[in-house]
Coordinates of all heavy atoms in Angstrom, one line a residue:
K11 N 27.1 71.2 -41.6 CA 27.8 72.2 -40.8 C 27.2 72.3 -39.4 O 27.7 73.1 -38.6 CB 27.8 73.6 -41.5 CG 28.6 73.6 -42.8 CD 28.6 75.0 -43.4 CE 29.4 75.0 -44.6 NZ 29.6 76.3 -45.2
S12 N 26.2 71.5 -39.1 CA 25.6 71.6 -37.8 C 26.5 71.0 -36.7 O 27.4 70.2 -37.0 CB 24.3 70.8 -37.7 OG 24.5 69.4 -37.7
E13 N 26.3 71.5 -35.5 CA 27.2 71.0 -34.4 C 26.9 69.5 -34.1 O 27.8 68.8 -33.7 CB 26.9 71.8 -33.1 CG 27.4 73.2 -33.2 CD 27.2 74.0 -31.9 OE1 26.9 73.4 -30.9 OE2 27.3 75.2 -32.0
T14 N 25.7 69.1 -34.3 CA 25.4 67.6 -34.1 C 26.1 66.8 -35.1 O 26.7 65.7 -34.8 CB 23.9 67.4 -34.2 OG1 23.2 68.2 -33.2 CG2 23.5 66.0 -33.9
A15 N 26.1 67.2 -36.3 CA 26.9 66.5 -37.4 C 28.4 66.5 -37.1 O 29.0 65.4 -37.2 CB 26.6 67.2 -38.7
E16 N 28.9 67.6 -36.6 CA 30.3 67.6 -36.2 C 30.6 66.6 -35.1 O 31.6 65.8 -35.1 CB 30.7 69.0 -35.7 CG 31.0 70.0 -36.7 CD 31.5 71.3 -36.1 OE1 32.4 71.3 -35.2 OE2 31.0 72.3 -36.6
A17 N 29.7 66.5 -34.1 CA 29.9 65.6 -33.0 C 29.8 64.1 -33.5 O 30.6 63.3 -33.0 CB 28.8 65.8 -31.9
I18 N 28.9 63.8 -34.4 CA 28.7 62.5 -34.9 C 30.0 62.1 -35.7 O 30.5 61.0 -35.6 CB 27.4 62.3 -35.7 CG1 26.2 62.4 -34.8 CG2 27.4 61.0 -36.5 CD1 24.9 62.4 -35.5
R19 N 30.4 63.0 -36.6 CA 31.7 62.7 -37.3 C 32.8 62.5 -36.4 O 33.6 61.6 -36.6 CB 32.0 63.9 -38.3 CG 31.1 63.9 -39.6 CD 31.7 64.8 -40.6 NE 31.7 66.2 -40.2 CZ 30.6 67.0 -40.3 NH1 29.5 66.6 -40.8 NH2 30.7 68.3 -39.8
Y20 N 32.9 63.3 -35.4 CA 34.0 63.1 -34.4 C 33.9 61.7 -33.8 O 34.9 61.0 -33.7 CB 33.9 64.1 -33.3 CG 34.9 64.0 -32.2 CD1 36.1 64.7 -32.3 CD2 34.7 63.3 -31.0 CE1 37.1 64.6 -31.3 CE2 35.6 63.2 -30.0 CZ 36.8 63.8 -30.2 OH 37.8 63.7 -29.2
A21 N 32.7 61.3 -33.3 CA 32.6 60.0 -32.7 C 32.9 58.9 -33.7 O 33.5 57.9 -33.4 CB 31.1 59.8 -32.2
L22 N 32.4 59.0 -34.9 CA 32.6 57.9 -36.0 C 34.1 57.8 -36.3 O 34.6 56.7 -36.5 CB 31.8 58.2 -37.2 CG 30.3 58.0 -37.1 CD1 29.5 58.5 -38.3 CD2 30.0 56.5 -36.8
S23 N 34.8 58.9 -36.3 CA 36.2 58.9 -36.7 C 37.0 58.2 -35.6 O 38.2 57.8 -35.8 CB 36.7 60.3 -37.0 OG 36.8 61.1 -35.8
R24 N 36.5 58.1 -34.4 CA 37.2 57.5 -33.3 C 36.4 56.3 -32.7 O 36.7 55.9 -31.6 CB 37.3 58.6 -32.1 CG 38.3 59.7 -32.5 CD 38.1 60.9 -31.7 NE 39.0 62.0 -32.0 CZ 38.9 62.8 -33.1 NH1 38.0 62.6 -33.9 NH2 39.9 63.7 -33.3
W25 N 35.6 55.7 -33.6 CA 34.7 54.6 -33.1 C 35.5 53.5 -32.6 O 35.1 52.9 -31.5 CB 33.8 54.2 -34.3 CG 32.8 53.3 -33.8 CD1 32.7 51.9 -34.0 CD2 31.6 53.6 -33.0 NE1 31.6 51.4 -33.4 CE2 30.9 52.5 -32.8 CE3 31.2 54.8 -32.5 CZ2 29.8 52.5 -32.0 CZ3 30.0 54.8 -31.7 CH2 29.3 53.6 -31.5
R26 N 36.6 53.1 -33.2 CA 37.4 51.9 -32.8 C 37.9 52.2 -31.3 O 37.8 51.3 -30.5 CB 38.5 51.6 -33.7 CG 39.3 50.4 -33.3 CD 40.2 49.9 -34.5 NE 40.8 48.7 -34.1 CZ 42.2 48.6 -34.0 NH1 42.9 49.6 -34.3 NH2 42.7 47.4 -33.6
A27 N 38.4 53.4 -31.1 CA 38.9 53.7 -29.8 C 37.8 53.8 -28.7 O 37.9 53.4 -27.6 CB 39.7 55.0 -29.8
L28 N 36.6 54.3 -29.2 CA 35.5 54.5 -28.3 C 34.9 53.2 -27.8 O 34.4 53.0 -26.7 CB 34.4 55.3 -28.9 CG 34.7 56.8 -29.1 CD1 33.7 57.5 -29.9 CD2 34.8 57.5 -27.7
T29 N 35.0 52.1 -28.7 CA 34.4 50.8 -28.3 C 35.5 49.8 -28.0 O 35.2 48.6 -27.8 CB 33.6 50.3 -29.5 OG1 34.4 50.2 -30.7 CG2 32.5 51.3 -29.8
R30 N 36.7 50.2 -27.8 CA 37.8 49.2 -27.5 C 37.6 48.5 -26.2 O 37.9 47.3 -26.1 CB 39.1 50.0 -27.4 CG 40.3 49.2 -27.1 CD 40.7 48.2 -28.3 NE 41.9 47.5 -28.0 CZ 42.0 46.3 -27.7 NH1 40.9 45.6 -27.6 NH2 43.1 45.7 -27.4
F31 N 37.0 49.1 -25.2 CA 36.8 48.5 -23.9 C 35.8 47.3 -24.0 O 35.7 46.5 -23.2 CB 36.3 49.5 -22.9 CG 34.9 50.0 -23.1 CD1 33.9 49.5 -22.5 CD2 34.7 51.1 -24.0 CE1 32.6 49.9 -22.7 CE2 33.5 51.6 -24.2 CZ 32.4 51.0 -23.6
V32 N 35.0 47.3 -25.1 CA 34.0 46.2 -25.3 C 34.7 44.9 -25.5 O 34.3 43.8 -25.1 CB 33.0 46.5 -26.4 CG1 32.1 45.4 -26.7 CG2 32.2 47.8 -26.1
D33 N 35.8 44.9 -26.2 CA 36.6 43.7 -26.6 C 37.6 43.3 -25.5 O 38.0 42.2 -25.5 CB 37.4 44.0 -27.9 CG 36.5 44.3 -29.1 OD1 35.4 43.7 -29.1 OD2 36.9 45.1 -29.9
D34 N 37.9 44.2 -24.6 CA 38.9 43.9 -23.6 C 38.4 44.5 -22.3 O 38.4 45.7 -22.0 CB 40.3 44.5 -23.9 CG 41.4 44.2 -23.0 OD1 41.1 43.7 -21.9 OD2 42.5 44.4 -23.3
G35 N 38.0 43.6 -21.4 CA 37.3 44.0 -20.2 C 38.3 44.7 -19.2 O 37.9 45.3 -18.2
S36 N 39.6 44.6 -19.4 CA 40.5 45.2 -18.5 C 40.7 46.7 -18.8 O 41.3 47.4 -18.1 CB 41.9 44.5 -18.6 OG 42.5 44.7 -19.8
I37 N 40.2 47.2 -20.0 CA 40.3 48.6 -20.4 C 39.2 49.4 -19.7 O 38.0 49.0 -19.8 CB 40.3 48.7 -21.9 CG1 41.5 48.0 -22.5 CG2 40.3 50.2 -22.3 CD1 41.5 48.0 -24.0
E38 N 39.5 50.4 -19.1 CA 38.5 51.3 -18.5 C 37.7 52.1 -19.5 O 38.3 52.4 -20.6 CB 39.2 52.3 -17.5 CG 39.9 51.6 -16.3 CD 38.9 51.1 -15.3 OE1 37.7 51.6 -15.2 OE2 39.2 50.1 -14.6
I39 N 36.5 52.3 -19.3 CA 35.7 53.1 -20.2 C 36.0 54.6 -20.2 O 35.8 55.3 -21.2 CB 34.2 52.9 -19.9 CG1 33.3 53.3 -21.1 CG2 33.8 53.5 -18.6 CD1 31.9 52.9 -21.0
D40 N 36.6 55.0 -19.1 CA 37.0 56.4 -19.1 C 38.3 56.5 -18.3 O 38.8 55.5 -17.8 CB 35.9 57.3 -18.4 CG 35.6 56.9 -17.0 OD1 36.4 56.3 -16.3 OD2 34.4 57.2 -16.6
N41 N 38.8 57.7 -18.1 CA 40.1 57.8 -17.4 C 39.9 58.4 -16.0 O 40.9 59.0 -15.4 CB 41.1 58.7 -18.2 CG 40.6 60.1 -18.4 OD1 39.5 60.4 -18.1 ND2 41.5 61.0 -18.9
S42 N 38.8 58.2 -15.4 CA 38.5 58.8 -14.1 C 39.4 58.3 -13.0 O 39.9 59.0 -12.2 CB 37.0 58.5 -13.7 OG 36.2 59.2 -14.6
A43 N 39.8 57.0 -13.1 CA 40.7 56.4 -12.1 C 42.0 57.1 -12.1 O 42.6 57.4 -11.1 CB 40.8 54.9 -12.3
A44 N 42.5 57.3 -13.4 CA 43.8 57.9 -13.5 C 43.8 59.4 -13.0 O 44.7 59.9 -12.4 CB 44.3 57.9 -15.0
E45 N 42.7 60.1 -13.4 CA 42.5 61.5 -12.9 C 42.5 61.5 -11.4 O 43.1 62.4 -10.8 CB 41.3 62.1 -13.6 CG 41.5 62.4 -15.0 CD 40.3 63.0 -15.7 OE1 39.4 63.4 -15.0 OE2 40.3 63.2 -16.9
R46 N 41.8 60.6 -10.8 CA 41.7 60.6 -9.3 C 43.1 60.4 -8.7 O 43.5 61.0 -7.7 CB 40.7 59.5 -8.8 CG 39.3 60.0 -8.8 CD 38.4 59.0 -8.0 NE 38.5 57.6 -8.5 CZ 37.9 57.1 -9.5 NH1 37.1 57.9 -10.2 NH2 38.0 55.8 -9.9
A47 N 43.9 59.5 -9.3 CA 45.2 59.2 -8.8 C 46.1 60.4 -8.9 O 47.0 60.6 -8.1 CB 45.8 58.0 -9.6
L48 N 45.9 61.2 -10.0 CA 46.8 62.4 -10.2 C 46.3 63.6 -9.4 O 47.0 64.6 -9.3 CB 46.9 62.7 -11.7 CG 47.6 61.7 -12.5 CD1 47.5 62.0 -14.0 CD2 49.1 61.7 -12.1
R49 N 45.1 63.5 -8.9 CA 44.5 64.7 -8.1 C 45.4 65.1 -7.0 O 45.7 66.3 -6.8 CB 43.1 64.3 -7.6 CG 42.4 65.5 -7.0 CD 41.0 65.2 -6.8 NE 40.2 66.4 -6.4 CZ 40.1 66.8 -5.2 NH1 40.6 66.1 -4.2 NH2 39.4 67.9 -4.9
A50 N 46.0 64.1 -6.3 CA 46.8 64.4 -5.1 C 48.1 65.2 -5.6 O 48.6 66.1 -4.9 CB 47.2 63.2 -4.4
V51 N 48.6 64.8 -6.8 CA 49.8 65.4 -7.3 C 49.5 66.9 -7.6 O 50.3 67.8 -7.3 CB 50.3 64.7 -8.6 CG1 51.4 65.4 -9.2 CG2 50.7 63.3 -8.2
A52 N 48.4 67.1 -8.3 CA 48.0 68.5 -8.6 C 47.8 69.3 -7.4 O 48.2 70.5 -7.3 CB 46.7 68.5 -9.5
L53 N 47.1 68.8 -6.3 CA 46.9 69.5 -5.1 C 48.2 69.8 -4.4 O 48.4 70.8 -3.9 CB 45.9 68.8 -4.2 CG 44.5 68.7 -4.6 CD1 43.7 67.8 -3.7 CD2 43.9 70.1 -4.6
G54 N 49.0 68.8 -4.4 CA 50.3 68.9 -3.7 C 51.2 70.0 -4.4 O 51.8 70.8 -3.7
R55 N 51.1 70.0 -5.7 CA 51.9 71.0 -6.5 C 51.4 72.4 -6.1 O 52.2 73.3 -5.9 CB 51.8 70.8 -8.0 CG 52.6 71.7 -8.8 CD 52.6 71.3 -10.3 NE 51.3 70.9 -10.7 CZ 51.1 69.9 -11.5 NH1 52.1 69.3 -12.1 NH2 49.9 69.5 -11.9
K56 N 50.1 72.6 -5.9 CA 49.6 73.9 -5.5 C 50.0 74.2 -4.1 O 50.4 75.3 -3.8 CB 48.0 73.8 -5.6 CG 47.4 75.2 -5.3 CD 45.9 75.1 -5.5 CE 45.2 76.4 -5.2 NZ 43.8 76.3 -5.3
N57 N 50.0 73.2 -3.2 CA 50.4 73.4 -1.8 C 51.9 73.8 -1.7 O 52.3 74.4 -0.7 CB 50.1 72.2 -1.0 CG 48.6 72.1 -0.8 OD1 47.8 73.0 -1.0 ND2 48.1 70.8 -0.5
Y58 N 52.7 73.3 -2.6 CA 54.2 73.5 -2.5 C 54.5 75.0 -2.6 O 55.5 75.5 -2.1 CB 55.0 72.8 -3.6 CG 54.8 71.4 -3.7 CD1 54.9 70.7 -4.9 CD2 54.5 70.6 -2.6 CE1 54.7 69.3 -5.0 CE2 54.3 69.2 -2.6 CZ 54.4 68.6 -3.9 OH 54.2 67.3 -4.0
L59 N 53.6 75.8 -3.2 CA 53.8 77.3 -3.3 C 53.8 77.9 -1.9 O 54.3 79.0 -1.7 CB 52.6 77.9 -4.1 CG 52.6 77.4 -5.5 CD1 51.3 78.0 -6.2 CD2 53.8 77.9 -6.3
F60 N 53.3 77.2 -0.9 CA 53.1 77.8 0.4 C 54.0 77.2 1.5 O 53.7 77.2 2.7 CB 51.7 77.8 0.9 CG 50.8 78.5 -0.1 CD1 50.0 77.8 -1.0 CD2 50.7 79.9 -0.1 CE1 49.2 78.4 -1.9 CE2 49.9 80.5 -1.0 CZ 49.1 79.8 -1.9
C61 N 55.1 76.6 1.0 CA 56.0 75.9 2.0 C 57.0 76.8 2.6 O 57.8 76.3 3.5 CB 56.8 74.8 1.2 SG 55.6 73.5 0.8
G62 N 57.1 78.0 2.3 CA 58.0 79.0 2.9 C 59.3 79.2 2.3 O 59.9 80.2 2.4
S63 N 59.8 78.1 1.6 CA 61.1 78.3 1.0 C 61.3 77.1 -0.1 O 60.5 76.2 -0.1 CB 62.3 78.1 2.0 OG 62.3 76.8 2.5
D64 N 62.3 77.3 -0.9 CA 62.5 76.2 -1.9 C 62.8 74.9 -1.2 O 62.3 73.8 -1.6 CB 63.7 76.6 -2.8 CG 63.3 77.7 -3.8 OD1 62.1 78.0 -3.9 OD2 64.3 78.3 -4.4
G65 N 63.6 74.9 -0.1 CA 63.9 73.7 0.6 C 62.7 73.1 1.2 O 62.6 71.9 1.2
G66 N 61.8 73.9 1.8 CA 60.6 73.4 2.3 C 59.7 72.8 1.3 O 59.1 71.7 1.5
G67 N 59.7 73.4 0.1 CA 58.9 72.8 -1.0 C 59.4 71.5 -1.4 O 58.7 70.5 -1.7
E68 N 60.8 71.4 -1.5 CA 61.4 70.1 -1.9 C 61.1 69.0 -0.8 O 60.9 67.9 -1.2 CB 62.9 70.3 -2.1 CG 63.2 71.1 -3.4 CD 64.7 71.4 -3.5 OE1 65.5 70.9 -2.8 OE2 65.0 72.3 -4.4
S69 N 61.2 69.4 0.4 CA 60.9 68.4 1.5 C 59.5 68.0 1.4 O 59.2 66.8 1.6 CB 61.2 69.1 2.9 OG 62.5 69.4 3.0
A70 N 58.5 68.9 1.2 CA 57.1 68.5 1.1 C 56.9 67.6 -0.1 O 56.2 66.6 0.0 CB 56.3 69.8 1.0
A71 N 57.6 67.9 -1.2 CA 57.4 67.1 -2.4 C 57.9 65.7 -2.1 O 57.3 64.7 -2.5 CB 58.2 67.7 -3.6
A72 N 59.0 65.6 -1.4 CA 59.6 64.2 -1.1 C 58.6 63.4 -0.2 O 58.4 62.3 -0.4 CB 60.9 64.4 -0.4
I73 N 58.0 64.1 0.8 CA 57.1 63.4 1.7 C 55.9 63.0 0.9 O 55.4 61.9 1.1 CB 56.8 64.3 2.9 CG1 58.0 64.4 3.8 CG2 55.6 63.8 3.7 CD1 57.9 65.5 4.9
Y74 N 55.3 63.9 0.1 CA 54.1 63.6 -0.7 C 54.4 62.4 -1.6 O 53.6 61.5 -1.8 CB 53.6 64.7 -1.5 CG 52.8 65.8 -0.7 CD1 53.2 67.1 -0.8 CD2 51.7 65.5 0.0 CE1 52.5 68.1 -0.1 CE2 51.0 66.4 0.7 CZ 51.4 67.7 0.6 OH 50.6 68.7 1.3
T75 N 55.6 62.4 -2.2 CA 56.0 61.3 -3.1 C 56.0 60.0 -2.3 O 55.5 58.9 -2.8 CB 57.3 61.6 -3.7 OG1 57.2 62.8 -4.5 CG2 57.8 60.5 -4.7
L76 N 56.7 60.0 -1.2 CA 56.8 58.7 -0.4 C 55.4 58.2 0.1 O 55.1 57.0 0.0 CB 57.7 58.9 0.8 CG 59.2 59.0 0.5 CD1 60.0 59.5 1.6 CD2 59.7 57.7 0.0
L77 N 54.5 59.1 0.5 CA 53.2 58.7 0.9 C 52.4 58.2 -0.2 O 51.7 57.2 -0.1 CB 52.5 59.9 1.6 CG 53.1 60.4 2.9 CD1 52.3 61.6 3.4 CD2 53.1 59.3 4.0
G78 N 52.5 58.8 -1.4 CA 51.9 58.3 -2.6 C 52.4 57.0 -3.0 O 51.6 56.1 -3.5
T79 N 53.7 56.8 -2.9 CA 54.3 55.5 -3.2 C 53.8 54.4 -2.3 O 53.6 53.3 -2.7 CB 55.9 55.6 -3.2 OG1 56.3 56.7 -4.1 CG2 56.5 54.3 -3.5
A80 N 53.6 54.8 -1.0 CA 53.1 53.8 -0.1 C 51.7 53.3 -0.5 O 51.4 52.1 -0.6 CB 53.0 54.4 1.3
K81 N 50.9 54.3 -0.9 CA 49.5 53.9 -1.4 C 49.6 53.0 -2.6 O 48.9 52.0 -2.7 CB 48.8 55.2 -1.8 CG 48.1 55.9 -0.7 CD 47.3 57.1 -1.3 CE 46.8 58.0 -0.2 NZ 46.1 59.1 -0.8
L82 N 50.5 53.4 -3.6 CA 50.6 52.6 -4.8 C 51.1 51.2 -4.5 O 50.9 50.3 -5.3 CB 51.5 53.3 -5.8 CG 51.0 54.5 -6.4 CD1 52.1 55.2 -7.3 CD2 49.8 54.2 -7.3
N83 N 51.8 51.0 -3.4 CA 52.3 49.7 -3.0 C 51.4 48.9 -2.1 O 51.7 47.9 -1.5 CB 53.7 49.8 -2.4 CG 54.7 50.0 -3.5 OD1 55.2 49.0 -4.1 ND2 55.1 51.2 -3.8

Side-chain angles (χ1 to χ4, degrees):
K11 294 184 179 186
S12 74
E13 289 183 17
T14 304
E16 277 184 48
I18 290 174
R19 279 193 300 276
Y20 179 88
L22 289 173
S23 70
R24 290 158 178 80
W25 191 253
R26 185 165 182 241
L28 288 170
T29 59
R30 180 70 175 103
F31 70 93
V32 174
D33 299 324
D34 184 346
S36 67
I37 297 175
E38 295 288 334
I39 194 168
D40 60 28
N41 65 348
S42 294
E45 288 181 7
R46 276 192 306 278
L48 290 173
R49 186 169 191 270
V51 174
L53 288 175
R55 187 175 33 218
K56 185 176 179 183
N57 291 338
Y58 303 151
L59 297 172
F60 303 100
C61 290
S63 68
D64 289 346
E68 289 175 12
S69 296
I73 290 169
Y74 282 128
T75 300
L76 287 168
L77 294 175
T79 302
K81 278 185 189 177
L82 290 173
N83 283 277

